[in-house]
Amino acid sequence: MKKKIVIAGGGIGGLSAGIYALKAGYDAEIYEKNPVAGGECMGWNRKGFHIDNCIHWLTGTDSGTSLWQLWKTLGAIDENTGYAKTDKFYTCRLDGKEATLWKDRDRTERELVALAPEDESEIRRMIQHVRFAESCSIPVEKPLDMMGVGDYIKMGKSMANMPKVMKEYGDIDLNELAERFHSPLMKMLIKDYMPAEYTAYSFIVSYATMTGGNGEIPLGGSLAMTNRIIERFKSMGGRLFTNAPVKSIIVEKGAAKGIELENGEKITAGAVISAVDTSLLYGRLLGGAYTPKDWAGAYGSSSDYPVMSGFQVAFAADNGFSGDGTIFFGCDPIKIGSRSFDMISVKNYGYEKSFAPEGRTVLQTNISQYDEDYLYWKSLSKEEYKARKQELADGIAKRLIKEFPELDGRLELLDCWTPLTYERYCGAYHGAYMAFITKPGVKKLKCDGTVRGVKDLYIAGQWIMSPGGLPVAAASGKFAVQRILKKEKRPIDI
Ligand SMILES: Cc1cc2nc3c(=O)[nH]c(=O)nc-3n(C[C@H](O)[C@H](O)[C@H](O)COP(=O)(O)OP(=O)(O)OC[C@H]3O[C@@H](n4cnc5c(N)ncnc54)[C@H](O)[C@@H]3O)c2cc1C
């Protein structure tokens, strides 16, 4: 009989673990609490429109990369995948001026220098390092701790220019990088896409993913990609159980023996892979007994280990909207809890015809939220929460119309959601989109994909490697299966 691997959580990490377990010759069962799998890589329908809520860019769309091979194995993308026709990362608007990070970095360089000649040398330095960072790739062949000297030499050669990027931007955060510029618009361009506490190199690498042709949006969006992965899992013989919340991991004599569902059913397994948020694994599923000290410390210190979430609103609008792609714009201050925000981003999904009826489009706004904001939302009663969401959605609509007068009378509210939505729907710690924010000077949390004190229990999901995101989630599932293979002294090439 084949060994059975049981997987708790059916996000991209769990689905990847399932597919690689089947590939390695195991039986695989996934238990997902929601009616549909996919976790944060999700989209949903409202009033005849589709709200796409994940992929702003998928790293690994360059078919020459190992990550592309991984996505292909998962059924996420292949040689025939079509991509959205977008030509920019994002635009910032301030006082009637616009600055854009184009996919064409040379165009970006030219335009930014013309816009802010006082910052010419800093702009040129930044774009030069974006060129260097285009060689950056995420190691997905095997976990770092299983890599030998040869693997490291190969990785070093393929990313020969990355040390230059790390040297220039590895020790400063985005606030400090922004301070190198004089133009307020340039400062905004640097600081507003990612949390300003992020190490500056994360921003350089993210932009380089696009300029290097390795970060596209697959047509159909997040839900369509998730459904392709689910289909791949099922077509290989995997069994996916939805509406099946896991209550705990069964641990006997220091080893995982299976899982217990909320309905009391016990499922035995040869090995268990947890692909739920690590805070849930360490807390609810293991009862707090096996939480590593440094992780417990991180959960207790949101200043050193913050997470980012968002207050998002989706509107339907006419296609006549002049804004293209993602635009950040300065606005009249809007208060959420004790904090005031003077910046909103709006993304026009007009590039995807299947998301809206003919002649209309979906606009999605976002205000970044952090641990403190999550706690504010958490403090509200059910009625207060509902009312506050509605008030804020109205406030955001007013500000959108002020910035883009052509939207007057043409916006229809589709939905709005908060960090609590991600907590409720995915069990996401403080509503986090990604893993902990990597701050310069703060010790990076390590996770070797196992739980000390519990044999046959493995960890997948975006939290095992910073900064998280879809590529980490996808690779983590493969890594968990490789750890099982290694324990059985079998080849890990899958
Ligand atoms: C708005 C937004 C935009 C994003 N944009 C991008 C982007 O452009 N590019 C990118 O790379 N990444 C992006 N991300 C991040 C990406 O979505 C995540 O990194 C990834 O989906 C995480 O996958 P995961 O499997 O680790 O976790 P999750 O998706 O959280 O999966 C965990 C699963 O476990 C399930 N679960 C929880 N508790 C239980 C339980 N008790 N029993 C059973 N199941 C349980 C959950 O329902 C969920 O399905 C974005 C995220 C958000 C929210």
Side-chain angles (χ1 to χ4, degrees):
M1 220 169 80
K2 283 186 192 171
K3 177 168 174 164
K4 184 166 88 178
I5 313 277
V6 161
I7 298 153
I12 299 303
L15 289 164
S16 167
I19 289 170
Y20 276 98
L22 294 166
K23 239 182 142 242
Y26 300 114
D27 269 344
E29 290 179 359
I30 297 177
Y31 291 83
E32 163 58 46
K33 81 172 177 64
N34 287 330
V36 288
E40 291 195 347
C41 191
M42 199 32 67
W44 59 93
N45 297 329
R46 286 285 180 279
K47 302 179 184 174
F49 292 80
H50 183 73
I51 297 172
D52 185 13
N53 197 46
C54 181
I55 305 175
H56 294 77
W57 77 91
L58 180 73
T59 304
T61 53
D62 174 350
S63 61
T65 61
S66 317
L67 184 52
W68 184 85
Q69 285 296 342
L70 191 149
W71 286 126
K72 190 178 172 193
T73 302
L74 299 187
I77 53 176
D78 63 20
E79 295 82 354
N80 301 316
T81 303
Y83 296 105
K85 289 195 178 15
T86 55
D87 57 1
K88 61 163 111 152
F89 193 17
Y90 60 91
T91 295
C92 286
R93 281 163 69 126
L94 188 66
D95 303 329
K97 279 190 181 172
E98 276 195 358
T100 297
L101 292 178
W102 300 101
K103 277 187 180 170
D104 175 352
R105 51 163 152 67
D106 298 337
R107 176 177 178 190
T108 301
E109 185 173 18
R110 275 194 314 275
E111 289 188 5
L112 294 185
V113 168
L115 202 69
E118 68 275 32
D119 289 321
E120 176 168 357
S121 63
E122 210 48 64
I123 291 168
R124 294 207 189 280
R125 191 196 327 272
M126 186 175 82
I127 298 294
Q128 183 54 28
H129 285 81
V130 169
R131 286 186 190 98
F132 292 150
E134 285 168 7
S135 67
C136 180
S137 60
I138 299 169
V140 297
E141 274 91 0
K142 55 180 96 158
L144 287 179
D145 54 279
M146 287 190 197
M147 281 171 51
V149 180
D151 297 313
Y152 276 105
I153 293 174
K154 200 172 137 202
M155 190 166 87
K157 271 190 189 157
S158 70
M159 295 202 262
N161 279 323
M162 271 313 283
K164 294 179 195 160
V165 181
M166 294 306 290
K167 189 165 173 238
E168 187 65 39
Y169 298 108
D171 294 329
I172 56 167
D173 66 17
L174 289 169
N175 274 317
E176 290 166 282
L177 176 58
E179 283 314 307
R180 293 185 182 179
F181 294 84
H182 299 95
S183 144
L185 189 54
M186 280 305 302
K187 287 181 195 286
M188 184 178 170
L189 194 70
I190 302 296
K191 277 203 310 193
D192 287 339
Y193 193 76
M194 297 172 108
E197 294 83 2
Y198 257 111
T199 312
Y201 87 86
S202 312
F203 163 74
I204 303 287
V205 169
S206 301
Y207 180 38
T209 304
M210 294 223 158
T211 61
N214 194 27
E216 305 287 342
I217 305 174
L219 283 178
S222 312
L223 180 61
M225 188 176 94
T226 289
N227 282 339
R228 290 194 292 275
I229 300 176
I230 294 172
E231 217 27 66
R232 172 65 51 91
F233 174 67
K234 288 184 177 168
S235 71
M236 290 170 75
R239 272 162 297 165
L240 170 63
F241 299 88
T242 52
N243 292 312
V246 179
K247 185 174 161 202
S248 62
I249 311 270
I250 302 168
V251 181
E252 286 170 12
K253 294 185 185 152
K257 298 293 176 194
I259 54 171
E260 180 174 355
L261 302 183
E262 288 288 354
N263 66 9
E265 199 183 334
K266 291 187 172 146
I267 319 288
T268 53
V272 175
I273 297 176
S274 165
V276 300
D277 188 288
T278 35
S279 69
L280 277 181
L281 166 67
Y282 291 135
R284 199 174 328 153
L285 301 199
L286 286 171
Y290 302 95
T291 315
K293 254 195 186 151
D294 47 352
W295 282 75
Y299 291 127
S301 168
S302 59
S303 55
D304 279 350
Y305 295 94
V307 295
M308 189 193 72
S309 187
F311 175 71
Q312 289 163 268
V313 188
F315 298 96
D318 292 349
N319 256 344
F321 175 56
S322 64
D324 176 37
T326 300
I327 302 169
F328 289 78
F329 60 94
C331 64
D332 298 334
I334 186 163
K335 254 191 129 184
I336 304 182
S338 59
R339 297 211 305 141
S340 187
F341 298 83
D342 58 4
M343 167 72 45
I344 298 175
S345 76
V346 56
K347 179 172 174 184
N348 182 356
Y349 283 82
Y351 60 78
E352 176 69 60
K353 297 296 165 222
S354 68
F355 288 176
E358 178 89 37
R360 306 199 75 193
T361 185
V362 176
L363 303 182
Q364 224 185 87
T365 64
N366 193 8
I367 296 180
S368 295
Q369 302 275 273
Y370 300 93
D371 305 82
E372 189 185 334
D373 309 307
Y374 158 84
L375 292 174
Y376 161 72
W377 287 108
K378 200 74 183 163
S379 73
L380 302 180
S381 69
K382 217 173 171 182
E383 293 69 34
E384 286 167 341
Y385 177 74
K386 209 172 155 202
R388 195 68 194 116
K389 279 202 311 178
Q390 183 66 50
E391 271 166 33
L392 283 168
D394 293 344
I396 286 168
K398 269 192 203 131
R399 286 161 179 79
L400 258 182
I401 290 166
K402 190 170 175 196
E403 184 70 20
F404 304 98
E406 70 270 27
L407 289 174
D408 199 6
R410 291 174 162 183
L411 281 182
E412 181 189 358
L413 177 65
L414 295 177
D415 203 357
C416 63
W417 57 105
T418 75
L420 297 197
T421 313
Y422 296 105
E423 179 184 59
R424 177 178 53 77
Y425 188 73
C426 301
Y429 170 72
H430 286 191
Y433 287 1
M434 309 257 290
F436 290 113
I437 289 172
T438 39
K439 288 176 80 170
V442 174
K443 196 175 154 218
K444 267 192 196 153
L445 281 183
K446 287 213 174 100
C447 174
D448 72 358
T450 62
V451 176
R452 188 167 284 188
V454 189
K455 281 189 229 150
D456 299 324
L457 174 59
Y458 300 87
I459 306 177
Q462 64 165 336
W463 291 85
I464 70 153
M465 206 159 75
S466 72
L470 292 166
V472 174
S476 73
K478 176 182 177 183
F479 293 170
V481 174
Q482 286 175 311
R483 290 183 195 286
I484 298 172
L485 289 169
K486 188 177 174 203
K487 192 184 168 215
E488 294 177 355
K489 300 195 169 42
R490 290 177 53 196
I492 62 160
D493 293 331
I494 38 175

